[in-house]
Amino acid sequence: MTRNDLLAGGALWLLAAVPAAAQAPDAPAAPATSAVATPAPAAATETEQVQFSAAALEYDTEADIVTATGEVRMTRGADRLRAERVVWNRKTGKVVATGNVAVTDPEGDIAYGDSIELTDTLRDGMVDNLLVVLEQGGRLAAVRGTREPSGIYNLDHAVYSPCAVTDSEGCPKEPAWKITAVKVTYDADRQRVSYEGARFHLFGLTSPSLPRFSHSIAQSNDSGLLTPSIGLTRLNGAELVLPVNFALGPNRSLVIAPHLFSSEVPMLEARYSAVNELGAYSIAGYATSSRRSDDLSSGFISDTTRAFRGYLDGSGRFQLDPNWSISGSMRIVTDRTFLRRYDISNDDRLRTTIALERIDTDSYFSLAGWAVQTLRVGDRQGMQPVALPELDYRRRITDAPLGGVLQLQFNTLAVGRKAGQDTQRAFASARWDWRGVTVAGQEVTLTAYARGDAYNSDDTVATAVDQYRGIEGFQTRAIGALAADVRWPFVGELFGGLQRFSPRVQVVATPRTRNIQVPNEDARAVDLEDSNLFALNRFPGYDRWEDSSRVTYGADWSLDLPGVAITTNVGQSYRLNSRPSILPDGTGLSDRFSDIVGRTNVRIGEFVTLTHRYRLDKDNFAVRRNELDATVGSRRTYASVGYLRLNRDITELEDLQDREEVRAGGRVAFARFWSLWGSAVVDLTDRAEDPLSQADGFTPIRHRLGVAYQDDCLELGLTWKRDYRTVGDARRGDSYLLTLSFKNLGR
């Protein structure tokens, strides 16, 4: 036997590329310390070339066997092998690798084994004590396995789990869940694992033998069973949801989810979603039959009859080109209590919308429409508006005369009601803003505004509130305003940090405007607060204009310390004329001096966030608006509270009723993977605040309480929800929901 050692720069590529009968010329034996493959002859294709390097190479010319030892690296195309020792029989094409063996396929999956027997293509072979680490996450381990040239692994007595097998200190641990099977097949191209004779193990508990099944481990769309959910409600009984995904293509998916109830007939849920080169859209539908309330327009209780019930919920957006887009949403339900009874949504109004938009650097165009479906007790559906069309165009001119910025706007809106007032509106406006800084550092903003309106309305008597009706027929209106706003910032040190103090004064001059003569569709819920204190018009929307000349004054203050940030503002306005205001008492704007409004934000590192908004009565400093939102804690353990009290004593306008409520929520992480969480909403309104309120001063609305487990491969949760209100067939009571989600197993 003659042994030839192939050194760096030798003929190893020739051995890899030419037929096995070709032999390397004899050469004196010499100790080999390293060997590196060199390029093959031009006749060898890229896929035929086998590149490898090793600390030492030996070649038996008689047996035609190449032996590589010491950090062997072997590559053919996208397939790679790593081992301590590789024996390659060039006559049979068999490659045997031993010692810390790892084989990586083109998909990025890595197979580890004590001993791996392959062909020289590196694409098929047999492995003892196999471990496959998947690119998408997860591991497959088997006593023995084979790999076919197509990339399919066939494993005997195998186990699969995406869970960590070591703890935070690197010590071995049992995975939270795993699947063991007599036979496992893994298709790398399809990213799918199939099982025969499988059992499921969760926290050490073992299921009975399961029928043959498979699941995807890819993040892409694939057909299969999604994660089921289990619930229990007072009215529907036990609930089991079994969703199945049907992949209609890489960009389209249909999910069918039967809802099975112990006390009601089943409900079918279907969701279709798709993505294309222009955008994405989805639509969901629910359908069932159960007893439903006939009419809730006059109260919370009504007779029930069995009928078809369902809900459609869809949305989509398409970017037609860099500027043009079209978007829309659809929310339609058969009755007012369906969403609450089946715990789909707590919304009390549903909007269906459509909009065509064009946006560029200096202009905006929108052609839109929308409709409202009310789910509120006592509301009449015939009084709900349908807006079609709603057109808005805006153009910004940055090189306007006298400097500054000129913004032009044209807007039209048509609102129709089946059993109420119809309104059509159009206006054109121009607004000029100039901003400059004086030599003393004052920031000055000058504004000029002009607008012309045209309205037409029908059936105004159908509107219950006189101030919202306007005069029936065609009406016109002109609006104008001049404003000057001066802000003077001061900056200095305080307590080792940086403080900023900015007093601010604004003067607005505007003539008397025709307001009551035109309808009010979009400016009803008016209230003075810090966000609109310095606005040119403190009414929301366009249908009402604050036609009183006024002076507004206030100040902003902030302090930035290491780990602490505080900002606050306060302000008030004074009306320069004495004529009566169209703003009702209680809004904070009806008298010549307005109420005092302000806001304070406090942030301490990432641990404390506090926001307080308030409005104080100018006469006696009574709190007319008191709103607090606070969060304390980290992402894993925190507590939050929200409190709102509106004490405005407004009785003549339906949109401005007093209310008081508190919202609370929190989460406590009591172990590495476990947490306890909860939330609640309580209505604190009583009849002294709102004569129409059903609350007694402390009426819980709903609460949720749950416990959750979440690690790297498993999410488990149990939620208890209680609803305290009965609305038609949606009865008050308790419901429970069990959620269980496995990584790479369902969705």
Side-chain angles (χ1 to χ4, degrees), residues 371-387:
V372 175
Q373 181 180 6
T374 183
L375 307 183
R376 291 183 174 185
V377 174
D379 278 3
R380 293 173 55 196
Q381 180 59 41
M383 298 295 292
Q384 302 309 307
V386 175

Side-chain angles (χ1 to χ4, degrees), residues 526-534 538 546 548 550-555 569-575 581 583-599 613-626 645-650 658:
V526 60
D527 196 11
L528 177 65
E529 54 188 39
D530 65 282
S531 62
N532 66 5
L533 176 64
F534 288 92
R538 290 180 288 198
E546 188 179 1
S548 57
R550 63 188 182 273
V551 177
T552 305
Y553 43 87
N569 61 50
V570 65
Q572 187 182 30
S573 66
Y574 174 73
R575 188 149 43 88
S581 171
L583 291 154
D585 293 337
T587 61
L589 292 166
S590 57
D591 295 335
R592 297 190 67 177
F593 278 101
S594 76
D595 286 349
I596 302 167
V597 294
R599 183 189 72 238
R613 297 181 180 89
Y614 59 90
R615 175 159 68 88
L616 304 179
D617 192 294
K618 64 182 186 311
D619 297 322
N620 55 17
F621 298 106
V623 180
R624 298 302 180 189
R625 181 188 185 99
N626 193 14
R645 183 169 190 252
L646 301 177
N647 180 25
R648 300 173 295 188
D649 295 329
I650 304 175
D658 288 343

Side-chain angles (χ1 to χ4, degrees), residues 304-636:
T304 62
T305 57
R306 179 167 290 277
F308 170 80
R309 310 182 73 179
Y311 172 54
L312 288 176
D313 185 353
S315 63
R317 183 177 181 86
F318 301 95
Q319 194 70 37
L320 307 180
D321 65 22
N323 300 116
W324 286 94
S325 67
I326 185 169
S327 61
S329 64
M330 177 180 60
R331 301 187 70 191
I332 302 173
V333 70
T334 54
D335 57 89
R336 304 192 187 203
T337 57
F338 176 79
L339 298 181
R340 288 192 57 194
R341 170 167 179 168
Y342 290 95
D343 200 19
I344 298 172
S345 170
N346 287 314
D347 292 340
D348 58 5
R349 284 177 177 171
L350 303 180
R351 283 171 60 96
T352 297
T353 65
I354 182 72
L356 175 67
E357 295 178 295
R358 187 187 187 279
I359 304 174
D360 62 24
T361 304
D362 293 312
S363 70
Y364 170 77
F365 170 81
S366 171
L367 180 62
W370 46 265
V372 175
Q373 181 180 6
T374 183
L375 307 183
R376 291 183 174 185
V377 174
D379 278 3
R380 293 173 55 196
Q381 180 59 41
M383 298 295 292
Q384 302 309 307
V386 175
L388 189 71
E390 180 183 19
L391 186 148
D392 191 42
Y393 176 74
R394 307 180 193 190
R395 165 67 66 176
R396 182 176 60 184
I397 302 173
T398 55
D399 54 349
L402 304 177
V405 176
L406 178 64
Q407 180 172 291
L408 306 176
Q409 182 179 8
F410 176 74
N411 181 280
T412 67
L413 173 66
V415 175
R417 295 177 176 85
K418 185 177 181 180
Q421 178 174 332
D422 298 334
T423 301
Q424 298 85 45
R425 177 194 72 198
F427 72 79
S429 69
R431 174 169 176 160
W432 173 80
D433 291 285
W434 177 89
R435 178 183 176 275
V437 179
T438 68
V439 294
Q442 295 97 341
E443 179 185 334
V444 180
T445 302
L446 303 178
T447 301
Y449 183 78
R451 196 177 96 195
D453 299 348
Y455 283 82
N456 183 57
S457 58
D458 299 299
D459 297 327
T460 56
V461 71
T463 299
V465 180
D466 293 344
Q467 294 187 37
Y468 295 162
R469 292 176 179 174
I471 300 176
E472 188 162 324
F474 185 78
Q475 302 291 326
T476 60
R477 179 175 66 172
I479 295 173
L482 296 174
D485 192 316
V486 180
R487 186 198 304 260
W488 197 353
F490 296 89
V491 180
E493 295 184 2
L494 182 66
F495 305 132
L498 185 68
Q499 69 164 329
R500 300 175 183 86
F501 176 68
S502 302
R504 182 178 180 182
V505 177
Q506 179 197 57
V507 179
V508 178
T510 181
R512 189 162 190 166
T513 304
R514 300 183 79 224
N515 276 303
I516 302 301
Q517 292 82 357
V518 300
N520 183 1
E521 296 282 1
D522 64 2
R524 299 183 177 184
V526 60
D527 196 11
L528 177 65
E529 54 188 39
D530 65 282
S531 62
N532 66 5
L533 176 64
F534 288 92
L536 203 61
N537 179 34
R538 290 180 288 198
F539 278 100
Y542 298 105
D543 291 337
R544 289 292 180 266
W545 179 262
E546 188 179 1
D547 59 353
S548 57
S549 298
R550 63 188 182 273
V551 177
T552 305
Y553 43 87
D556 300 327
W557 179 80
S558 66
L559 176 63
D560 291 319
L561 300 172
V564 178
I566 303 173
T567 61
T568 186
N569 61 50
V570 65
Q572 187 182 30
S573 66
Y574 174 73
R575 188 149 43 88
L576 298 176
N577 51 58
S578 59
R579 65 174 178 264
S581 171
I582 63 170
L583 291 154
D585 293 337
T587 61
L589 292 166
S590 57
D591 295 335
R592 297 190 67 177
F593 278 101
S594 76
D595 286 349
I596 302 167
V597 294
R599 183 189 72 238
T600 300
N601 294 324
V602 178
R603 187 178 185 90
I604 303 176
E606 300 294 330
F607 190 73
V608 175
T609 302
L610 171 68
T611 300
H612 181 222
R613 297 181 180 89
Y614 59 90
R615 175 159 68 88
L616 304 179
D617 192 294
K618 64 182 186 311
D619 297 322
N620 55 17
F621 298 106
V623 180
R624 298 302 180 189
R625 181 188 185 99
N626 193 14
E627 186 176 359
L628 176 70
D629 289 287
T631 301
V632 179
S634 62
R635 293 182 61 184
R636 296 194 66 222

Side-chain angles (χ1 to χ4, degrees), residues 230-234 237 239 718-721 734-738:
I230 301 173
L232 178 64
T233 63
R234 176 179 178 272
E239 177 184 9
L718 178 62
T719 302
W720 167 41
K721 174 187 173 183
D734 299 322
S735 61
Y736 303 89
L737 177 65
L738 175 65

Side-chain angles (χ1 to χ4, degrees), residues 732-745:
R732 60 183 294 173
D734 299 322
S735 61
Y736 303 89
L737 177 65
L738 175 65
T739 58
L740 185 59
S741 177
F742 304 100
K743 179 181 178 181
N744 290 343
L745 188 64

